[in-house]
Amino acid sequence: MKRIQTKITLTYLLLAVTIIVAVGFVSSLVIESLFRERLIHELEQDADAVHFLLSKDSSKEERMRSESVRNMATLWGVRVTLITEEGKVLADSDVPFEELSSVENHLSRPEVQEAESKKIGVNLRHSATVGRDFLYVAKRFDSTSTARWLRGVRFIRVSAHIEDIKKNVAEIRWKIFWAGFVTLVLVAGASTIVSRRISRPM
């Protein structure tokens, strides 16, 4: 009788573990995807905001414009890069003004290439410039700005550290894990009771 009871309990537990693991895995993937899509949308809006604010900037000094880009990036907690049609970097919030001339051409960057053809380009990779993982969103702008200097900016690229997404997803995964653990304990208790009733002699 004990053997039957044990088999029934283990069957319920195995089924519960399988379901909890499957649901947890799928849920974490969906949540990570949703976080990424939301971040992409926010970065695209940031690019529009950068373009609008820079179009109102009357500063004629490149250093001052570079400082404006740095201030906006700091305020929003992102990285902002201004890129010409030829791929030259005019400003980068993570690169000092004095070092801009040494920054390599960005025309071949995947997000820039995609933005050239689709207006919006997205890419997730390790930055060789600052040595961190970023989610990049580049947006193509036509030369219609009233600010003459801004007409030379073909792409505005806004990026965020991917660690933010990983941190949020990790927190949610822990919550899913603990919820699954509590569920497993409840299933174990319920299966024990059910198995006893089933295995009880009539």
mmCIF file of all heavy atoms in Angstrom, residues 147-192:
data_model
loop_
_atom_site.group_PDB
_atom_site.id
_atom_site.type_symbol
_atom_site.label_atom_id
_atom_site.label_comp_id
_atom_site.label_asym_id
_atom_site.label_seq_id
_atom_site.Cartn_x
_atom_site.Cartn_y
_atom_site.Cartn_z
ATOM 1 N N ALA A 147 17.918 74.224 -38.061
ATOM 2 C CA ALA A 147 19.301 74.429 -37.622
ATOM 3 C C ALA A 147 20.236 73.848 -38.684
ATOM 4 O O ALA A 147 20.250 72.644 -38.921
ATOM 5 C CB ALA A 147 19.535 73.743 -36.282
ATOM 6 N N ARG A 148 20.996 74.725 -39.323
ATOM 7 C CA ARG A 148 21.826 74.298 -40.456
ATOM 8 C C ARG A 148 22.813 73.199 -40.078
ATOM 9 O O ARG A 148 22.997 72.238 -40.815
ATOM 10 C CB ARG A 148 22.577 75.510 -41.021
ATOM 11 C CG ARG A 148 23.462 75.164 -42.202
ATOM 12 C CD ARG A 148 24.020 76.413 -42.838
ATOM 13 N NE ARG A 148 22.958 77.252 -43.396
ATOM 14 C CZ ARG A 148 23.179 78.408 -44.033
ATOM 15 N NH1 ARG A 148 24.425 78.860 -44.178
ATOM 16 N NH2 ARG A 148 22.185 79.104 -44.507
ATOM 17 N N TRP A 149 23.427 73.322 -38.908
ATOM 18 C CA TRP A 149 24.420 72.324 -38.506
ATOM 19 C C TRP A 149 23.787 70.953 -38.301
ATOM 20 O O TRP A 149 24.417 69.926 -38.546
ATOM 21 C CB TRP A 149 25.118 72.774 -37.226
ATOM 22 C CG TRP A 149 24.309 72.597 -35.972
ATOM 23 C CD1 TRP A 149 23.480 73.503 -35.402
ATOM 24 C CD2 TRP A 149 24.238 71.429 -35.166
ATOM 25 N NE1 TRP A 149 22.887 72.988 -34.289
ATOM 26 C CE2 TRP A 149 23.342 71.714 -34.117
ATOM 27 C CE3 TRP A 149 24.845 70.172 -35.210
ATOM 28 C CZ2 TRP A 149 23.027 70.797 -33.126
ATOM 29 C CZ3 TRP A 149 24.541 69.260 -34.227
ATOM 30 C CH2 TRP A 149 23.642 69.560 -33.192
ATOM 31 N N LEU A 150 22.496 70.934 -37.874
ATOM 32 C CA LEU A 150 21.829 69.672 -37.604
ATOM 33 C C LEU A 150 21.484 68.919 -38.886
ATOM 34 O O LEU A 150 21.238 67.718 -38.856
ATOM 35 C CB LEU A 150 20.558 69.923 -36.777
ATOM 36 C CG LEU A 150 19.863 68.706 -36.156
ATOM 37 C CD1 LEU A 150 20.827 67.908 -35.292
ATOM 38 C CD2 LEU A 150 18.650 69.142 -35.328
ATOM 39 N N ARG A 151 21.478 69.633 -40.003
ATOM 40 C CA ARG A 151 21.196 68.977 -41.278
ATOM 41 C C ARG A 151 22.272 67.946 -41.627
ATOM 42 O O ARG A 151 22.034 67.041 -42.417
ATOM 43 C CB ARG A 151 21.088 70.021 -42.397
ATOM 44 C CG ARG A 151 19.928 70.988 -42.217
ATOM 45 C CD ARG A 151 19.929 72.068 -43.279
ATOM 46 N NE ARG A 151 18.959 73.112 -42.974
ATOM 47 C CZ ARG A 151 18.815 74.234 -43.664
ATOM 48 N NH1 ARG A 151 19.611 74.478 -44.716
ATOM 49 N NH2 ARG A 151 17.915 75.137 -43.329
ATOM 50 N N GLY A 152 23.437 68.114 -41.045
ATOM 51 C CA GLY A 152 24.516 67.158 -41.286
ATOM 52 C C GLY A 152 24.376 65.887 -40.472
ATOM 53 O O GLY A 152 25.089 64.905 -40.721
ATOM 54 N N VAL A 153 23.450 65.882 -39.519
ATOM 55 C CA VAL A 153 23.221 64.692 -38.694
ATOM 56 C C VAL A 153 22.205 63.801 -39.400
ATOM 57 O O VAL A 153 21.019 64.111 -39.471
ATOM 58 C CB VAL A 153 22.703 65.084 -37.289
ATOM 59 C CG1 VAL A 153 22.424 63.825 -36.473
ATOM 60 C CG2 VAL A 153 23.711 65.968 -36.575
ATOM 61 N N ARG A 154 22.674 62.690 -39.894
ATOM 62 C CA ARG A 154 21.802 61.751 -40.614
ATOM 63 C C ARG A 154 21.142 60.760 -39.664
ATOM 64 O O ARG A 154 19.991 60.390 -39.840
ATOM 65 C CB ARG A 154 22.638 60.995 -41.649
ATOM 66 C CG ARG A 154 21.894 59.924 -42.442
ATOM 67 C CD ARG A 154 20.867 60.522 -43.362
ATOM 68 N NE ARG A 154 20.389 59.524 -44.310
ATOM 69 C CZ ARG A 154 19.408 59.748 -45.189
ATOM 70 N NH1 ARG A 154 18.807 60.933 -45.235
ATOM 71 N NH2 ARG A 154 19.035 58.800 -46.024
ATOM 72 N N PHE A 155 21.895 60.354 -38.641
ATOM 73 C CA PHE A 155 21.386 59.368 -37.678
ATOM 74 C C PHE A 155 21.577 59.865 -36.241
ATOM 75 O O PHE A 155 22.616 60.430 -35.913
ATOM 76 C CB PHE A 155 22.110 58.023 -37.827
ATOM 77 C CG PHE A 155 22.137 57.486 -39.223
ATOM 78 C CD1 PHE A 155 23.248 57.684 -40.031
ATOM 79 C CD2 PHE A 155 21.046 56.794 -39.743
ATOM 80 C CE1 PHE A 155 23.283 57.186 -41.321
ATOM 81 C CE2 PHE A 155 21.075 56.299 -41.024
ATOM 82 C CZ PHE A 155 22.191 56.495 -41.827
ATOM 83 N N ILE A 156 20.560 59.645 -35.444
ATOM 84 C CA ILE A 156 20.685 59.843 -34.004
ATOM 85 C C ILE A 156 20.522 58.468 -33.376
ATOM 86 O O ILE A 156 19.482 57.830 -33.528
ATOM 87 C CB ILE A 156 19.638 60.825 -33.452
ATOM 88 C CG1 ILE A 156 19.891 62.234 -34.009
ATOM 89 C CG2 ILE A 156 19.679 60.854 -31.924
ATOM 90 C CD1 ILE A 156 18.900 63.277 -33.526
ATOM 91 N N ARG A 157 21.558 58.039 -32.705
ATOM 92 C CA ARG A 157 21.537 56.715 -32.090
ATOM 93 C C ARG A 157 21.472 56.868 -30.569
ATOM 94 O O ARG A 157 22.258 57.596 -29.976
ATOM 95 C CB ARG A 157 22.797 55.934 -32.479
ATOM 96 C CG ARG A 157 22.754 54.474 -32.065
ATOM 97 C CD ARG A 157 24.050 53.778 -32.390
ATOM 98 N NE ARG A 157 25.161 54.274 -31.570
ATOM 99 C CZ ARG A 157 26.412 53.833 -31.657
ATOM 100 N NH1 ARG A 157 26.716 52.905 -32.542
ATOM 101 N NH2 ARG A 157 27.354 54.312 -30.877
ATOM 102 N N VAL A 158 20.499 56.196 -29.991
ATOM 103 C CA VAL A 158 20.335 56.212 -28.541
ATOM 104 C C VAL A 158 20.458 54.778 -28.051
ATOM 105 O O VAL A 158 19.872 53.860 -28.644
ATOM 106 C CB VAL A 158 18.971 56.802 -28.127
ATOM 107 C CG1 VAL A 158 18.888 56.938 -26.613
ATOM 108 C CG2 VAL A 158 18.753 58.161 -28.787
ATOM 109 N N SER A 159 21.219 54.580 -27.002
ATOM 110 C CA SER A 159 21.429 53.218 -26.509
ATOM 111 C C SER A 159 21.389 53.181 -24.994
ATOM 112 O O SER A 159 21.614 54.193 -24.321
ATOM 113 C CB SER A 159 22.770 52.665 -27.022
ATOM 114 O OG SER A 159 23.817 53.582 -26.749
ATOM 115 N N ALA A 160 21.082 52.015 -24.469
ATOM 116 C CA ALA A 160 21.001 51.826 -23.021
ATOM 117 C C ALA A 160 21.749 50.560 -22.636
ATOM 118 O O ALA A 160 21.809 49.597 -23.409
ATOM 119 C CB ALA A 160 19.547 51.739 -22.571
ATOM 120 N N HIS A 161 22.299 50.546 -21.433
ATOM 121 C CA HIS A 161 23.011 49.364 -20.946
ATOM 122 C C HIS A 161 22.026 48.201 -20.825
ATOM 123 O O HIS A 161 20.973 48.325 -20.202
ATOM 124 C CB HIS A 161 23.641 49.639 -19.574
ATOM 125 C CG HIS A 161 24.617 50.774 -19.599
ATOM 126 N ND1 HIS A 161 24.778 51.631 -18.544
ATOM 127 C CD2 HIS A 161 25.473 51.185 -20.559
ATOM 128 C CE1 HIS A 161 25.704 52.540 -18.851
ATOM 129 N NE2 HIS A 161 26.130 52.288 -20.066
ATOM 130 N N ILE A 162 22.361 47.085 -21.407
ATOM 131 C CA ILE A 162 21.484 45.919 -21.382
ATOM 132 C C ILE A 162 21.415 45.301 -19.990
ATOM 133 O O ILE A 162 20.525 44.501 -19.690
ATOM 134 C CB ILE A 162 21.961 44.869 -22.418
ATOM 135 C CG1 ILE A 162 20.831 43.905 -22.773
ATOM 136 C CG2 ILE A 162 23.181 44.158 -21.938
ATOM 137 C CD1 ILE A 162 19.640 44.556 -23.414
ATOM 138 N N GLU A 163 22.344 45.703 -19.119
ATOM 139 C CA GLU A 163 22.313 45.201 -17.742
ATOM 140 C C GLU A 163 20.997 45.546 -17.046
ATOM 141 O O GLU A 163 20.532 44.825 -16.166
ATOM 142 C CB GLU A 163 23.483 45.780 -16.927
ATOM 143 C CG GLU A 163 24.836 45.181 -17.268
ATOM 144 C CD GLU A 163 25.532 45.929 -18.392
ATOM 145 O OE1 GLU A 163 24.836 46.740 -19.073
ATOM 146 O OE2 GLU A 163 26.732 45.723 -18.605
ATOM 147 N N ASP A 164 20.385 46.664 -17.461
ATOM 148 C CA ASP A 164 19.108 47.071 -16.864
ATOM 149 C C ASP A 164 18.027 46.038 -17.142
ATOM 150 O O ASP A 164 17.232 45.689 -16.265
ATOM 151 C CB ASP A 164 18.670 48.438 -17.414
ATOM 152 C CG ASP A 164 19.633 49.543 -17.024
ATOM 153 O OD1 ASP A 164 20.340 49.364 -16.015
ATOM 154 O OD2 ASP A 164 19.676 50.572 -17.711
ATOM 155 N N ILE A 165 17.990 45.544 -18.381
ATOM 156 C CA ILE A 165 17.003 44.520 -18.744
ATOM 157 C C ILE A 165 17.300 43.232 -17.990
ATOM 158 O O ILE A 165 16.396 42.599 -17.435
ATOM 159 C CB ILE A 165 17.018 44.260 -20.265
ATOM 160 C CG1 ILE A 165 16.528 45.494 -21.025
ATOM 161 C CG2 ILE A 165 16.145 43.052 -20.617
ATOM 162 C CD1 ILE A 165 16.505 45.316 -22.520
ATOM 163 N N LYS A 166 18.581 42.830 -17.976
ATOM 164 C CA LYS A 166 18.959 41.584 -17.312
ATOM 165 C C LYS A 166 18.601 41.625 -15.827
ATOM 166 O O LYS A 166 18.161 40.619 -15.262
ATOM 167 C CB LYS A 166 20.464 41.343 -17.493
ATOM 168 C CG LYS A 166 20.872 41.032 -18.929
ATOM 169 C CD LYS A 166 22.370 40.814 -19.032
ATOM 170 C CE LYS A 166 22.778 40.470 -20.454
ATOM 171 N NZ LYS A 166 24.235 40.280 -20.590
ATOM 172 N N LYS A 167 18.809 42.777 -15.209
ATOM 173 C CA LYS A 167 18.508 42.912 -13.783
ATOM 174 C C LYS A 167 17.012 42.760 -13.522
ATOM 175 O O LYS A 167 16.591 42.035 -12.610
ATOM 176 C CB LYS A 167 18.984 44.274 -13.275
ATOM 177 C CG LYS A 167 18.744 44.487 -11.790
ATOM 178 C CD LYS A 167 19.234 45.854 -11.353
ATOM 179 C CE LYS A 167 18.942 46.088 -9.869
ATOM 180 N NZ LYS A 167 19.404 47.433 -9.425
ATOM 181 N N ASN A 168 16.199 43.430 -14.334
ATOM 182 C CA ASN A 168 14.747 43.345 -14.159
ATOM 183 C C ASN A 168 14.229 41.933 -14.401
ATOM 184 O O ASN A 168 13.387 41.423 -13.654
ATOM 185 C CB ASN A 168 14.046 44.320 -15.115
ATOM 186 C CG ASN A 168 14.254 45.763 -14.728
ATOM 187 O OD1 ASN A 168 14.412 46.080 -13.549
ATOM 188 N ND2 ASN A 168 14.268 46.654 -15.704
ATOM 189 N N VAL A 169 14.744 41.297 -15.456
ATOM 190 C CA VAL A 169 14.309 39.936 -15.779
ATOM 191 C C VAL A 169 14.744 38.959 -14.687
ATOM 192 O O VAL A 169 13.995 38.050 -14.318
ATOM 193 C CB VAL A 169 14.876 39.490 -17.149
ATOM 194 C CG1 VAL A 169 14.583 38.010 -17.406
ATOM 195 C CG2 VAL A 169 14.265 40.329 -18.262
ATOM 196 N N ALA A 170 15.965 39.151 -14.153
ATOM 197 C CA ALA A 170 16.462 38.274 -13.085
ATOM 198 C C ALA A 170 15.576 38.366 -11.846
ATOM 199 O O ALA A 170 15.277 37.349 -11.207
ATOM 200 C CB ALA A 170 17.900 38.643 -12.727
ATOM 201 N N GLU A 171 15.133 39.584 -11.515
ATOM 202 C CA GLU A 171 14.254 39.767 -10.360
ATOM 203 C C GLU A 171 12.927 39.047 -10.561
ATOM 204 O O GLU A 171 12.406 38.403 -9.643
ATOM 205 C CB GLU A 171 14.016 41.262 -10.121
ATOM 206 C CG GLU A 171 15.252 42.001 -9.613
ATOM 207 C CD GLU A 171 15.007 43.494 -9.469
ATOM 208 O OE1 GLU A 171 13.905 43.955 -9.856
ATOM 209 O OE2 GLU A 171 15.908 44.188 -8.970
ATOM 210 N N ILE A 172 12.381 39.161 -11.771
ATOM 211 C CA ILE A 172 11.109 38.503 -12.065
ATOM 212 C C ILE A 172 11.270 36.988 -12.071
ATOM 213 O O ILE A 172 10.388 36.249 -11.602
ATOM 214 C CB ILE A 172 10.552 38.991 -13.418
ATOM 215 C CG1 ILE A 172 10.170 40.467 -13.300
ATOM 216 C CG2 ILE A 172 9.348 38.161 -13.853
ATOM 217 C CD1 ILE A 172 9.721 41.099 -14.590
ATOM 218 N N ARG A 173 12.408 36.495 -12.561
ATOM 219 C CA ARG A 173 12.657 35.048 -12.571
ATOM 220 C C ARG A 173 12.704 34.489 -11.148
ATOM 221 O O ARG A 173 12.212 33.397 -10.894
ATOM 222 C CB ARG A 173 13.977 34.764 -13.295
ATOM 223 C CG ARG A 173 13.839 34.759 -14.812
ATOM 224 C CD ARG A 173 15.172 34.573 -15.497
ATOM 225 N NE ARG A 173 15.005 34.498 -16.940
ATOM 226 C CZ ARG A 173 15.997 34.651 -17.798
ATOM 227 N NH1 ARG A 173 17.227 34.864 -17.358
ATOM 228 N NH2 ARG A 173 15.774 34.577 -19.095
ATOM 229 N N TRP A 174 13.294 35.262 -10.228
ATOM 230 C CA TRP A 174 13.331 34.820 -8.836
ATOM 231 C C TRP A 174 11.925 34.745 -8.257
ATOM 232 O O TRP A 174 11.591 33.823 -7.504
ATOM 233 C CB TRP A 174 14.207 35.759 -8.005
ATOM 234 C CG TRP A 174 15.638 35.332 -7.957
ATOM 235 C CD1 TRP A 174 16.695 35.947 -8.545
ATOM 236 C CD2 TRP A 174 16.168 34.176 -7.289
ATOM 237 N NE1 TRP A 174 17.861 35.254 -8.306
ATOM 238 C CE2 TRP A 174 17.574 34.167 -7.523
ATOM 239 C CE3 TRP A 174 15.605 33.160 -6.523
ATOM 240 C CZ2 TRP A 174 18.406 33.174 -7.016
ATOM 241 C CZ3 TRP A 174 16.448 32.169 -6.007
ATOM 242 C CH2 TRP A 174 17.820 32.191 -6.259
ATOM 243 N N LYS A 175 11.091 35.705 -8.617
ATOM 244 C CA LYS A 175 9.709 35.695 -8.138
ATOM 245 C C LYS A 175 8.954 34.488 -8.694
ATOM 246 O O LYS A 175 8.159 33.856 -7.992
ATOM 247 C CB LYS A 175 9.010 36.998 -8.530
ATOM 248 C CG LYS A 175 9.542 38.218 -7.794
ATOM 249 C CD LYS A 175 8.835 39.487 -8.235
ATOM 250 C CE LYS A 175 9.394 40.698 -7.490
ATOM 251 N NZ LYS A 175 8.748 41.964 -7.921
ATOM 252 N N ILE A 176 9.210 34.186 -9.972
ATOM 253 C CA ILE A 176 8.581 33.013 -10.587
ATOM 254 C C ILE A 176 9.066 31.746 -9.901
ATOM 255 O O ILE A 176 8.292 30.811 -9.641
ATOM 256 C CB ILE A 176 8.906 32.959 -12.102
ATOM 257 C CG1 ILE A 176 8.209 34.119 -12.831
ATOM 258 C CG2 ILE A 176 8.454 31.635 -12.712
ATOM 259 C CD1 ILE A 176 8.573 34.218 -14.304
ATOM 260 N N PHE A 177 10.377 31.704 -9.580
ATOM 261 C CA PHE A 177 10.947 30.534 -8.908
ATOM 262 C C PHE A 177 10.284 30.297 -7.558
ATOM 263 O O PHE A 177 9.893 29.170 -7.228
ATOM 264 C CB PHE A 177 12.455 30.730 -8.723
ATOM 265 C CG PHE A 177 13.091 29.710 -7.798
ATOM 266 C CD1 PHE A 177 13.375 28.435 -8.246
ATOM 267 C CD2 PHE A 177 13.383 30.052 -6.478
ATOM 268 C CE1 PHE A 177 13.951 27.501 -7.396
ATOM 269 C CE2 PHE A 177 13.963 29.126 -5.620
ATOM 270 C CZ PHE A 177 14.240 27.843 -6.085
ATOM 271 N N TRP A 178 10.169 31.368 -6.757
ATOM 272 C CA TRP A 178 9.570 31.221 -5.438
ATOM 273 C C TRP A 178 8.084 30.879 -5.529
ATOM 274 O O TRP A 178 7.575 30.093 -4.722
ATOM 275 C CB TRP A 178 9.768 32.491 -4.617
ATOM 276 C CG TRP A 178 11.160 32.604 -4.085
ATOM 277 C CD1 TRP A 178 12.108 33.523 -4.427
ATOM 278 C CD2 TRP A 178 11.771 31.746 -3.116
ATOM 279 N NE1 TRP A 178 13.286 33.289 -3.747
ATOM 280 C CE2 TRP A 178 13.108 32.201 -2.926
ATOM 281 C CE3 TRP A 178 11.346 30.626 -2.393
ATOM 282 C CZ2 TRP A 178 13.989 31.592 -2.042
ATOM 283 C CZ3 TRP A 178 12.240 30.023 -1.508
ATOM 284 C CH2 TRP A 178 13.532 30.499 -1.338
ATOM 285 N N ALA A 179 7.398 31.453 -6.510
ATOM 286 C CA ALA A 179 5.988 31.109 -6.712
ATOM 287 C C ALA A 179 5.864 29.637 -7.093
ATOM 288 O O ALA A 179 4.959 28.922 -6.619
ATOM 289 C CB ALA A 179 5.383 31.992 -7.802
ATOM 290 N N GLY A 180 6.794 29.166 -7.933
ATOM 291 C CA GLY A 180 6.794 27.760 -8.328
ATOM 292 C C GLY A 180 7.104 26.848 -7.157
ATOM 293 O O GLY A 180 6.510 25.764 -7.023
ATOM 294 N N PHE A 181 8.022 27.279 -6.294
ATOM 295 C CA PHE A 181 8.380 26.481 -5.121
ATOM 296 C C PHE A 181 7.192 26.335 -4.168
ATOM 297 O O PHE A 181 6.907 25.238 -3.669
ATOM 298 C CB PHE A 181 9.555 27.142 -4.381
ATOM 299 C CG PHE A 181 9.972 26.420 -3.132
ATOM 300 C CD1 PHE A 181 10.703 25.243 -3.202
ATOM 301 C CD2 PHE A 181 9.620 26.913 -1.873
ATOM 302 C CE1 PHE A 181 11.087 24.568 -2.042
ATOM 303 C CE2 PHE A 181 9.990 26.250 -0.715
ATOM 304 C CZ PHE A 181 10.730 25.075 -0.804
ATOM 305 N N VAL A 182 6.489 27.447 -3.923
ATOM 306 C CA VAL A 182 5.301 27.402 -3.059
ATOM 307 C C VAL A 182 4.236 26.494 -3.669
ATOM 308 O O VAL A 182 3.610 25.690 -2.974
ATOM 309 C CB VAL A 182 4.738 28.825 -2.847
ATOM 310 C CG1 VAL A 182 3.386 28.766 -2.132
ATOM 311 C CG2 VAL A 182 5.719 29.663 -2.047
ATOM 312 N N THR A 183 4.069 26.613 -4.990
ATOM 313 C CA THR A 183 3.092 25.763 -5.686
ATOM 314 C C THR A 183 3.461 24.294 -5.547
ATOM 315 O O THR A 183 2.600 23.432 -5.324
ATOM 316 C CB THR A 183 3.025 26.144 -7.180
ATOM 317 O OG1 THR A 183 2.662 27.522 -7.298
ATOM 318 C CG2 THR A 183 1.999 25.283 -7.913
ATOM 319 N N LEU A 184 4.770 24.021 -5.659
ATOM 320 C CA LEU A 184 5.244 22.638 -5.556
ATOM 321 C C LEU A 184 4.971 22.068 -4.164
ATOM 322 O O LEU A 184 4.572 20.897 -4.023
ATOM 323 C CB LEU A 184 6.736 22.583 -5.868
ATOM 324 C CG LEU A 184 7.355 21.189 -6.056
ATOM 325 C CD1 LEU A 184 6.683 20.464 -7.204
ATOM 326 C CD2 LEU A 184 8.852 21.299 -6.291
ATOM 327 N N VAL A 185 5.178 22.887 -3.131
ATOM 328 C CA VAL A 185 4.904 22.443 -1.762
ATOM 329 C C VAL A 185 3.422 22.133 -1.592
ATOM 330 O O VAL A 185 3.040 21.116 -0.988
ATOM 331 C CB VAL A 185 5.346 23.519 -0.746
ATOM 332 C CG1 VAL A 185 4.858 23.165 0.655
ATOM 333 C CG2 VAL A 185 6.867 23.668 -0.763
ATOM 334 N N LEU A 186 2.579 22.995 -2.133
ATOM 335 C CA LEU A 186 1.130 22.781 -2.044
ATOM 336 C C LEU A 186 0.710 21.518 -2.796
ATOM 337 O O LEU A 186 -0.125 20.744 -2.314
ATOM 338 C CB LEU A 186 0.386 23.993 -2.606
ATOM 339 C CG LEU A 186 0.531 25.295 -1.802
ATOM 340 C CD1 LEU A 186 -0.161 26.441 -2.534
ATOM 341 C CD2 LEU A 186 -0.056 25.121 -0.405
ATOM 342 N N VAL A 187 1.322 21.324 -3.978
ATOM 343 C CA VAL A 187 1.007 20.127 -4.770
ATOM 344 C C VAL A 187 1.463 18.874 -4.032
ATOM 345 O O VAL A 187 0.770 17.849 -4.036
ATOM 346 C CB VAL A 187 1.680 20.205 -6.163
ATOM 347 C CG1 VAL A 187 1.585 18.864 -6.885
ATOM 348 C CG2 VAL A 187 1.020 21.289 -6.998
ATOM 349 N N ALA A 188 2.635 18.952 -3.392
ATOM 350 C CA ALA A 188 3.150 17.805 -2.637
ATOM 351 C C ALA A 188 2.194 17.429 -1.515
ATOM 352 O O ALA A 188 1.889 16.245 -1.293
ATOM 353 C CB ALA A 188 4.532 18.127 -2.072
ATOM 354 N N GLY A 189 1.691 18.449 -0.804
ATOM 355 C CA GLY A 189 0.747 18.174 0.270
ATOM 356 C C GLY A 189 -0.557 17.597 -0.243
ATOM 357 O O GLY A 189 -1.084 16.613 0.311
ATOM 358 N N ALA A 190 -1.066 18.195 -1.318
ATOM 359 C CA ALA A 190 -2.333 17.729 -1.881
ATOM 360 C C ALA A 190 -2.202 16.322 -2.448
ATOM 361 O O ALA A 190 -3.094 15.473 -2.277
ATOM 362 C CB ALA A 190 -2.797 18.695 -2.971
ATOM 363 N N SER A 191 -1.070 16.043 -3.128
ATOM 364 C CA SER A 191 -0.882 14.716 -3.720
ATOM 365 C C SER A 191 -0.752 13.633 -2.649
ATOM 366 O O SER A 191 -1.188 12.494 -2.844
ATOM 367 C CB SER A 191 0.352 14.720 -4.626
ATOM 368 O OG SER A 191 1.525 15.002 -3.882
ATOM 369 N N THR A 192 -0.156 13.998 -1.524
ATOM 370 C CA THR A 192 -0.027 13.039 -0.418
ATOM 371 C C THR A 192 -1.407 12.660 0.118
ATOM 372 O O THR A 192 -1.705 11.481 0.356
ATOM 373 C CB THR A 192 0.826 13.628 0.715
ATOM 374 O OG1 THR A 192 2.133 13.939 0.213
ATOM 375 C CG2 THR A 192 0.948 12.641 1.865
#
